[in-house]
Amino acid sequence: MSNDEATIVENSEHACHDEAAAAGLELLLPRDVPLGGPRAMPVQRVLPNKHRHFIGAWCFADAFGPTSLAGRPGMDVPPHPHTGLQTWSWLVDGAIEHRDSAGFSHTVRPGGLNIMTSGRGISHSEYSTAGTEVLHGVQLWTVLPSGERGRDPWFDGLDEVPTVELAPGVTASVFVGEHAGASSQVGAYTPLLGVELRMLRGSEARIELRAGFEHGVLALTSGLAVDDVPVGRGAMAYAAPGREAVIVSAAHDAVAILIGGEPFAEEVVMFWNFIGADHVEVAAARDQWMRERDSGADARPRFGTVVDDVNPPLAAPRLPTAQLLPRGRAKRRGA
């Protein structure tokens, strides 16, 4: 990209942020990152963002697709570890098979949900199924509060969640929390909201927001606007606590994810797939994963062995030379 082209992009981004700010919103723009091993699939990562690390306890959001898998590997993520969090996998199209070291396996499809609670440590793998032609969805993470990060790992796989019609042409599927009279029974460890919004071309809905929560609307397709602010595919409109409602509209058939939660008060260190209280805790988890990875399937007391997966586990990236510092829900200005 030339300097002139970079200036045009930067000016365009400033204009987008200014338009959102005028509407009382914050526009979070994604960045493209590879997901998985040697045959990595590109995803759009919008959380953590430059100045916004969490929305409630939601600390991570990757949107992917819609991607045709003709001649492509799709999602191909061999065994890898997690600590201190929950992972939430939601699909618009396709199917992904989950397997983990707690002995669970489940294939998630549109309308269903995979929720893995890592607690003190777990390993898992994720592969798009052989019959998947198009892959489209989102993976979200939530931070476990400090009192829950040492719990035993667990997994829940749902084939359907409650749905409700919000307005003509607008349907909400509630996968965690309560919205518009629909309530999910999924277990969470902090007050959370997670909803898929499906919208027909030309539809509009007033989305009521919960008092005391902060919220984000993540666009999984193009043509979406929040309070008349365009939100591009993979981007998110953020509403601070105190906002009563937003108007979401669709110029085309659209899908969005509404997330929310009470502002998460704790600071944590996040490195790769590990969440801990400080650098020492995360470094210890990383070192133990590497020891267990190289020790063989019969000597993995913390992270275990993924059931029925013969692929070699992923290596953890090297820790940076500088000490990792805890971070909270928003980046300190000037940090």
Side-chain angles (χ1 to χ4, degrees):
M1 181 183 290
S2 69
N3 289 337
D4 288 344
E5 289 171 326
T7 299
I8 291 171
V9 170
E10 184 176 353
N11 289 342
S12 175
E13 289 185 358
H14 280 307
C16 291
H17 289 300
D18 290 345
E19 184 178 7
L25 300 169
E26 183 178 332
L27 185 64
L28 307 181
L29 300 178
R31 64 190 188 277
D32 293 336
V33 297
L35 177 70
R39 301 188 299 167
M41 182 183 75
V43 301
Q44 292 180 292
R45 181 161 299 163
V46 71
L47 278 182
N49 204 272
K50 185 177 182 181
H51 292 297
R52 178 75 43 201
H53 295 150
F54 307 152
I55 296 177
W58 302 102
C59 63
F60 179 97
D62 276 357
F64 48 88
T67 301
S68 171
L69 300 192
R72 298 185 182 185
M75 184 169 287
D76 182 12
V77 188
H80 59 283
H82 287 280
T83 64
L85 53 81
Q86 286 184 294
T87 65
W88 309 71
S89 298
W90 180 270
L91 291 180
V92 179
D93 204 350
I96 295 173
E97 184 179 30
H98 161 100
R99 295 179 181 275
D100 65 42
S101 58
F104 296 98
S105 63
H106 184 257
T107 298
V108 64
R109 295 180 172 84
L113 180 71
N114 277 356
I115 322 103
M116 185 182 73
T117 303
S118 66
R120 57 182 169 73
I122 194 172
S123 57
H124 77 134
S125 61
E126 294 175 296
Y127 306 106
S128 48
T129 63
T132 295
E133 297 179 355
V134 175
L135 195 59
H136 189 194
V138 63
Q139 185 170 89
L140 307 163
W141 294 359
T142 48
V143 181
L144 290 173
S146 56
E148 301 290 350
R149 288 201 287 270
R151 68 180 302 109
D152 290 339
W154 192 254
F155 176 83
D156 291 290
L158 307 180
D159 293 324
E160 60 181 4
V161 302
T163 62
V164 61
E165 186 177 10
L166 299 182
V170 182
T171 302
S173 297
V174 182
F175 56 85
V176 60
E178 183 176 355
H179 187 71
S183 179
S184 170
Q185 301 305 310
V186 166
Y189 296 91
T190 57
L192 290 177
L193 176 68
V195 182
E196 183 207 61
L197 304 173
R198 294 216 179 199
M199 309 183 67
L200 297 181
R201 177 189 180 102
S203 63
E204 179 179 284
R206 175 183 169 90
I207 307 299
E208 303 290 340
L209 303 181
R210 181 169 169 179
F213 274 26
E214 52 188 347
H215 296 82
V217 179
L218 168 60
L220 298 188
T221 57
S222 60
L224 195 84
V226 178
D227 285 350
D228 294 326
V229 176
V231 181
R233 183 173 63 88
M236 181 185 290
Y238 167 81
R243 188 70 173 258
E244 294 182 354
V246 292
I247 304 296
V248 180
S249 56
H252 316 291
D253 290 355
V255 183
I257 301 293
L258 169 67
I259 60 173
E262 287 186 355
F264 191 75
E266 298 180 33
E267 291 191 338
V268 298
V269 168
M270 294 178 60
F271 173 75
W272 196 41
N273 304 316
F274 306 117
I275 288 179
D278 52 33
H279 178 99
V280 172
E281 184 177 334
V282 167
R286 187 257 178 209
D287 290 346
Q288 185 162 356
W289 165 253
M290 291 301 292
R291 288 195 300 271
E292 292 187 16
R293 173 183 178 269
D294 298 334
S295 67
D298 295 330
R300 295 176 179 167
R302 180 172 183 180
F303 294 102
T305 301
V306 175
V307 61
D308 296 332
D309 193 320
V310 297
N311 291 317
L314 294 176
R318 292 183 180 275
L319 283 163
T321 54
Q323 181 157 321
L324 297 167
L325 298 177
R327 59 187 179 183
R329 51 193 288 261
K331 182 178 178 181
R332 297 184 185 92
R333 300 292 174 172

